[in-house]
């Protein structure tokens, strides 16, 4: 996965984030560009999961992506 352009949302939120206690970014359940941008702009992540096999598989993939984002783009992100 190429990481260029993944901080677009973070740069848009930067000038206004001091005006808010929380900014909630709700993305669809995919691992596309919007999700990567949301992770790059986030301080923390909430992950709602259904107790089903496919949800557990998706959770594993999401956790791998979060680790990559933490290493390459956003070291302050936490789960």
């Amino acid at each position: 996965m190429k990481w260029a352009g993944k901080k677009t949302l973070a740069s848009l939120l930067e000038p206004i984030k001091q005006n808010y206690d929380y900014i909630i970014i709700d993305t669809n359940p995919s691992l596309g560009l919007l999700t990567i941008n949301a992770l790059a702009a986030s301080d923390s992540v909430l992950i709602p999961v259904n107790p089903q096999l496919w949800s557990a598989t998706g959770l594993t993939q999401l956790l791998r992506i979060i680790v990559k984002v933490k290493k390459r783009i956003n070291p302050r992100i936490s789960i």
Side-chain angles (χ1 to χ4, degrees):
M1 176 179 290
K2 295 183 181 181
W3 297 94
K6 305 300 189 231
K7 295 187 95 174
T8 304
L9 185 58
S11 64
L12 291 171
L13 291 176
E14 188 63 35
I16 65 165
K17 72 180 190 178
Q18 72 275 358
N19 299 328
Y20 300 93
D21 293 328
Y22 300 96
I23 298 174
I24 298 173
I25 305 167
D26 185 15
T27 64
N28 58 357
S30 72
L31 297 176
L33 184 60
L34 178 59
T35 302
I36 302 301
N37 265 276
L39 292 171
S42 298
D43 294 323
S44 60
V45 179
L46 296 172
I47 307 170
V49 180
N50 288 327
Q52 298 172 346
L53 178 60
W54 292 113
S55 295
T57 303
L59 178 61
T60 302
Q61 292 173 344
L62 177 59
L63 292 173
R64 285 186 193 135
I65 293 294
I66 291 172
V67 167
K68 287 181 182 180
V69 168
K70 186 174 182 93
K71 286 181 183 176
R72 299 178 185 180
I73 301 173
N74 181 3
R76 72 182 185 278
I77 195 169
S78 65
I79 301 171

